Amino acid sequence: MRAPVSLNLIDLDRAPVPAGRATAHETGGPVPARRSLAARDALLDVLSGVLGRRPDEAAVRPGTPCDGVYFSEARRDERYLVGTSAWYPLGVECKSAVPGCPPPLVERMLPAGERREVARLPAAARPLAFALCWCRMVAAVKACGATLDDAAHCMAATSQWAAVVAPGLVAGAAVLTEHGIDVRWRTTAWEKDAS
């Protein structure tokens, strides 16, 4: 039997205003505060869809399953990635895929094998390859509940991997399982509230 994994890529600048939090979402308000509140509300919406009811907000903590549902989240500017799995721990990450080389210190954080693979590529292909490796590494570490020191082990343990490349963004998820899984991407682009 295969377990579904849902990956939701959400545009926080188009997310609806959560009820009772309108002041932080008013036009002209601070963008980081608005996005943080929109991300929290989007996470609760995604979990509601999986659980069939809205979870208690206080019970939703990163790294801890919510009523038996594993979830992971990552943000890059206005883009917010939420992954859920009813059966297996998972991790998600998103990263900008912009031209240019990453700083050497950041590049050295990749496990040696991945670092060599990226270095072998033509210069034009390296930024995207680095972003993919970075997302896979961080997502695997999150799935294992480990640190970057254990990245190579975590990447080997998370044999299931899925990624999407959007304009200027790489997003991906790693699932801690040896079994096949169904992975479903869902991109949410809410229309701005006209009222």
Side-chain angles (χ1 to χ4, degrees):
M1 183 173 226
R2 302 190 321 160
V5 171
S6 177
L7 304 174
N8 303 271
L9 187 56
I10 299 161
D11 183 338
L12 294 175
D13 288 345
R14 295 182 179 263
V17 176
R21 297 182 179 176
T23 55
H25 288 266
E26 288 174 356
T27 304
V31 172
R34 184 201 189 290
R35 287 178 180 167
S36 291
L37 290 173
R40 185 64 176 180
D41 203 60
L43 172 61
L44 294 172
D45 282 349
V46 168
L47 289 172
S48 296
V50 176
L51 294 169
R53 60 175 171 70
R54 193 149 178 102
D56 174 18
E57 191 169 350
V60 179
R61 295 185 309 275
T64 305
C66 177
D67 292 337
V69 173
Y70 296 97
F71 72 94
S72 182
E73 57 186 332
R75 277 179 57 189
R76 179 66 52 192
D77 300 321
E78 79 281 4
R79 293 165 175 164
Y80 181 55
L81 177 61
V82 178
T84 60
S85 171
W87 291 359
Y88 303 114
L90 80 159
V92 300
E93 179 64 351
C94 51
K95 178 161 184 34
S96 295
V98 294
C101 295
L105 177 65
V106 174
E107 197 170 33
R108 282 195 300 265
M109 295 175 80
L110 288 179
E114 283 69 22
R115 202 167 48 244
R116 283 191 297 273
E117 284 181 31
V118 170
R120 285 187 203 130
L121 295 171
R126 287 183 197 148
L128 178 58
F130 174 80
L132 283 165
C133 283
W134 182 267
C135 284
R136 181 168 183 231
M137 176 184 75
V138 174
V141 165
K142 288 180 179 181
C144 291
T147 66
L148 288 176
D149 292 339
D150 297 318
H153 170 74
C154 293
M155 289 172 79
T158 53
S159 59
Q160 303 299 324
W161 162 250
V164 65
V165 179
L169 181 82
V170 172
V175 183
L176 187 60
T177 175
E178 294 297 322
H179 307 291
I181 55 169
D182 290 331
V183 176
R184 289 178 286 203
W185 279 99
R186 194 179 112 229
T187 303
T188 304
W190 280 294
E191 294 298 322
K192 290 202 183 230
D193 188 2
S195 57

Coordinates of all heavy atoms in Angstrom, one line a residue, residues 128-176:
L128 N 21.2 25.9 -10.7 CA 20.1 25.1 -10.5 C 20.4 23.8 -9.8 O 19.7 23.3 -8.9 CB 19.4 24.9 -11.9 CG 18.2 24.0 -11.8 CD1 17.1 24.5 -10.9 CD2 17.6 23.8 -13.2
A129 N 21.5 23.2 -10.2 CA 21.9 21.9 -9.6 C 22.2 22.1 -8.1 O 21.9 21.2 -7.3 CB 23.2 21.3 -10.4
F130 N 22.9 23.2 -7.8 CA 23.2 23.5 -6.4 C 21.8 23.6 -5.6 O 21.7 23.1 -4.5 CB 24.0 24.7 -6.2 CG 24.2 25.1 -4.8 CD1 25.1 24.4 -4.0 CD2 23.4 26.1 -4.2 CE1 25.2 24.8 -2.6 CE2 23.5 26.4 -2.9 CZ 24.4 25.8 -2.1
A131 N 20.9 24.4 -6.2 CA 19.6 24.6 -5.5 C 18.9 23.3 -5.3 O 18.3 23.1 -4.2 CB 18.8 25.6 -6.3
L132 N 18.9 22.4 -6.3 CA 18.3 21.1 -6.1 C 18.9 20.3 -5.0 O 18.3 19.7 -4.2 CB 18.3 20.3 -7.5 CG 17.3 20.8 -8.5 CD1 17.6 20.3 -9.9 CD2 15.9 20.4 -8.1
C133 N 20.3 20.2 -5.1 CA 21.0 19.5 -4.0 C 20.7 20.1 -2.6 O 20.5 19.3 -1.7 CB 22.5 19.5 -4.3 SG 23.0 18.4 -5.6
W134 N 20.7 21.4 -2.5 CA 20.5 22.0 -1.3 C 19.1 21.7 -0.7 O 19.0 21.3 0.4 CB 20.7 23.6 -1.4 CG 20.5 24.2 -0.1 CD1 19.3 24.8 0.4 CD2 21.5 24.4 0.9 NE1 19.6 25.3 1.7 CE2 20.9 25.1 2.0 CE3 22.8 24.1 1.0 CZ2 21.6 25.5 3.1 CZ3 23.5 24.5 2.1 CH2 22.9 25.1 3.2
C135 N 18.1 21.8 -1.6 CA 16.7 21.5 -1.1 C 16.6 20.0 -0.7 O 16.0 19.7 0.3 CB 15.7 21.8 -2.3 SG 15.4 23.5 -2.5
R136 N 17.2 19.1 -1.5 CA 17.2 17.7 -1.1 C 17.9 17.5 0.2 O 17.4 16.7 1.1 CB 17.8 16.8 -2.2 CG 17.7 15.4 -1.8 CD 18.1 14.4 -2.9 NE 17.9 13.1 -2.4 CZ 18.8 12.1 -2.5 NH1 19.9 12.4 -3.1 NH2 18.5 11.0 -2.1
M137 N 19.0 18.1 0.4 CA 19.8 17.9 1.7 C 19.0 18.4 2.9 O 18.8 17.7 3.9 CB 21.1 18.6 1.6 CG 21.9 18.6 2.9 SD 23.5 19.5 2.8 CE 22.8 21.2 2.9
V138 N 18.5 19.7 2.8 CA 17.8 20.2 3.9 C 16.5 19.5 4.2 O 16.1 19.2 5.3 CB 17.6 21.8 3.7 CG1 16.7 22.3 4.8 CG2 18.9 22.5 3.7
A139 N 15.8 19.1 3.1 CA 14.5 18.4 3.3 C 14.8 17.0 4.0 O 14.1 16.6 4.9 CB 13.8 18.2 2.0
A140 N 15.9 16.4 3.6 CA 16.2 15.1 4.2 C 16.6 15.2 5.7 O 16.2 14.4 6.5 CB 17.4 14.4 3.4
V141 N 17.3 16.3 6.0 CA 17.7 16.5 7.4 C 16.5 16.8 8.2 O 16.3 16.3 9.3 CB 18.7 17.7 7.4 CG1 18.8 18.2 8.9 CG2 20.1 17.3 6.9
K142 N 15.5 17.6 7.7 CA 14.3 17.8 8.4 C 13.5 16.5 8.6 O 12.9 16.3 9.7 CB 13.4 18.8 7.7 CG 13.9 20.3 7.7 CD 13.0 21.2 6.9 CE 13.4 22.6 6.9 NZ 12.4 23.4 6.2
A143 N 13.4 15.7 7.6 CA 12.7 14.4 7.7 C 13.2 13.5 8.8 O 12.5 12.8 9.5 CB 12.7 13.7 6.3
C144 N 14.6 13.5 8.9 CA 15.2 12.7 9.9 C 15.3 13.4 11.3 O 15.6 12.7 12.3 CB 16.7 12.4 9.5 SG 16.8 11.3 8.0
G145 N 14.9 14.6 11.3 CA 15.0 15.3 12.6 C 16.5 15.5 13.1 O 16.8 15.4 14.3
A146 N 17.4 15.7 12.1 CA 18.8 15.7 12.4 C 19.4 17.1 12.2 O 18.7 18.0 12.1 CB 19.5 14.6 11.5
T147 N 20.7 17.1 12.1 CA 21.4 18.4 11.8 C 22.2 18.2 10.5 O 22.3 17.1 9.9 CB 22.5 18.7 12.9 OG1 23.5 17.7 12.9 CG2 21.8 18.8 14.3
L148 N 22.7 19.3 10.0 CA 23.4 19.3 8.7 C 24.6 18.4 8.7 O 25.1 17.9 7.7 CB 23.8 20.7 8.2 CG 22.6 21.6 7.8 CD1 23.1 23.0 7.4 CD2 21.9 21.0 6.6
D149 N 25.2 18.2 9.9 CA 26.3 17.2 10.1 C 25.9 15.8 9.6 O 26.8 15.1 9.2 CB 26.8 17.2 11.5 CG 27.5 18.5 11.9 OD1 27.9 19.3 11.0 OD2 27.5 18.7 13.1
D150 N 24.7 15.5 9.7 CA 24.2 14.2 9.3 C 23.6 14.1 7.9 O 22.8 13.2 7.6 CB 23.2 13.7 10.4 CG 23.8 13.5 11.7 OD1 24.9 13.0 11.8 OD2 23.1 13.9 12.7
A151 N 23.8 15.1 7.1 CA 23.1 15.3 5.8 C 23.3 14.1 4.9 O 22.4 13.6 4.3 CB 23.6 16.6 5.1
A152 N 24.5 13.6 4.8 CA 24.8 12.4 3.9 C 24.0 11.2 4.3 O 23.3 10.6 3.5 CB 26.3 12.1 3.8
H153 N 23.9 10.9 5.6 CA 23.2 9.8 6.1 C 21.7 10.0 5.9 O 21.0 9.1 5.4 CB 23.4 9.6 7.6 CG 22.5 8.6 8.3 ND1 22.6 7.3 8.1 CD2 21.4 8.8 9.1 CE1 21.6 6.7 8.7 NE2 20.9 7.6 9.3
C154 N 21.2 11.2 6.1 CA 19.8 11.5 5.9 C 19.4 11.4 4.5 O 18.3 10.9 4.1 CB 19.5 12.9 6.5 SG 19.6 13.1 8.3
M155 N 20.2 11.9 3.6 CA 19.9 11.8 2.1 C 19.9 10.3 1.7 O 19.0 10.0 0.9 CB 21.0 12.6 1.3 CG 20.8 14.1 1.5 SD 22.1 15.1 0.8 CE 21.6 15.0 -0.9
A156 N 20.7 9.5 2.3 CA 20.6 8.1 1.9 C 19.4 7.4 2.5 O 18.8 6.5 1.9 CB 21.9 7.4 2.5
A157 N 18.9 7.9 3.7 CA 17.8 7.3 4.4 C 16.4 7.7 3.7 O 15.4 7.0 3.8 CB 17.7 7.7 5.8
T158 N 16.4 8.9 3.1 CA 15.2 9.4 2.4 C 15.2 9.1 1.0 O 15.6 9.9 0.2 CB 15.0 10.9 2.7 OG1 16.2 11.5 2.2 CG2 14.7 11.2 4.1
S159 N 14.8 7.8 0.6 CA 15.0 7.4 -0.8 C 13.9 8.0 -1.7 O 14.0 8.0 -2.9 CB 14.9 5.9 -0.8 OG 13.6 5.5 -0.3
Q160 N 12.9 8.6 -1.1 CA 11.8 9.3 -1.9 C 12.1 10.8 -1.9 O 12.3 11.4 -0.9 CB 10.5 9.0 -1.3 CG 10.1 7.5 -1.2 CD 10.1 6.8 -2.5 OE1 9.7 7.3 -3.5 NE2 10.6 5.6 -2.5
W161 N 12.1 11.3 -3.1 CA 12.4 12.7 -3.3 C 11.6 13.3 -4.5 O 11.4 12.6 -5.5 CB 13.9 12.8 -3.6 CG 14.3 14.2 -4.2 CD1 14.8 14.3 -5.5 CD2 14.4 15.4 -3.6 NE1 15.1 15.7 -5.7 CE2 14.8 16.4 -4.6 CE3 14.0 15.9 -2.3 CZ2 14.9 17.7 -4.3 CZ3 14.1 17.2 -2.1 CH2 14.6 18.1 -3.0
A162 N 11.1 14.4 -4.3 CA 10.3 15.1 -5.4 C 10.7 16.6 -5.4 O 11.0 17.1 -4.3 CB 8.8 14.9 -5.1
A163 N 10.7 17.1 -6.6 CA 11.0 18.6 -6.7 C 10.2 19.2 -7.8 O 9.8 18.6 -8.7 CB 12.5 18.7 -7.0
V164 N 10.1 20.5 -7.6 CA 9.4 21.3 -8.7 C 10.3 22.6 -8.9 O 10.9 23.1 -7.9 CB 8.0 21.7 -8.3 CG1 7.9 22.6 -7.1 CG2 7.3 22.4 -9.4
V165 N 10.4 23.0 -10.1 CA 11.2 24.2 -10.4 C 10.2 25.2 -11.0 O 9.6 25.0 -12.0 CB 12.3 23.9 -11.4 CG1 13.1 25.2 -11.7 CG2 13.3 22.8 -10.8
A166 N 10.0 26.3 -10.2 CA 9.2 27.4 -10.7 C 10.1 28.5 -11.1 O 11.3 28.5 -10.7 CB 8.2 27.8 -9.6
P167 N 9.6 29.6 -11.7 CA 10.5 30.7 -12.1 C 11.3 31.2 -10.9 O 10.6 31.7 -9.9 CB 9.6 31.7 -12.7 CG 8.4 30.9 -13.2 CD 8.3 29.8 -12.3
G168 N 12.6 31.1 -10.9 CA 13.4 31.6 -9.8 C 13.3 30.8 -8.5 O 13.9 31.2 -7.5
L169 N 12.7 29.7 -8.5 CA 12.5 28.9 -7.2 C 12.7 27.4 -7.5 O 12.2 26.9 -8.5 CB 11.1 29.2 -6.6 CG 10.9 28.4 -5.3 CD1 11.5 29.2 -4.1 CD2 9.4 28.3 -5.1
V170 N 13.3 26.7 -6.5 CA 13.3 25.3 -6.5 C 12.7 24.9 -5.2 O 13.0 25.5 -4.1 CB 14.8 24.7 -6.6 CG1 14.8 23.2 -6.3 CG2 15.4 25.1 -7.9
A171 N 11.8 24.0 -5.2 CA 11.1 23.5 -4.0 C 11.1 22.0 -4.0 O 10.9 21.4 -5.1 CB 9.7 24.0 -3.9
G172 N 11.3 21.3 -2.9 CA 11.3 19.9 -2.9 C 11.0 19.3 -1.5 O 10.9 20.0 -0.5
A173 N 10.8 18.0 -1.5 CA 10.5 17.3 -0.3 C 11.2 15.9 -0.3 O 11.4 15.3 -1.4 CB 9.0 17.0 -0.2
A174 N 11.6 15.5 0.9 CA 12.2 14.2 1.1 C 11.3 13.4 2.1 O 10.9 14.0 3.1 CB 13.6 14.3 1.6
V175 N 11.1 12.1 1.9 CA 10.2 11.4 2.8 C 11.0 10.2 3.3 O 11.7 9.5 2.6 CB 9.0 10.8 2.0 CG1 8.1 10.1 3.0 CG2 8.2 12.0 1.4
L176 N 10.9 10.0 4.6 CA 11.7 9.0 5.3 C 11.0 7.6 5.2 O 10.2 7.3 6.1 CB 11.9 9.4 6.8 CG 12.8 8.5 7.6 CD1 14.2 8.5 7.0 CD2 12.9 9.0 9.0

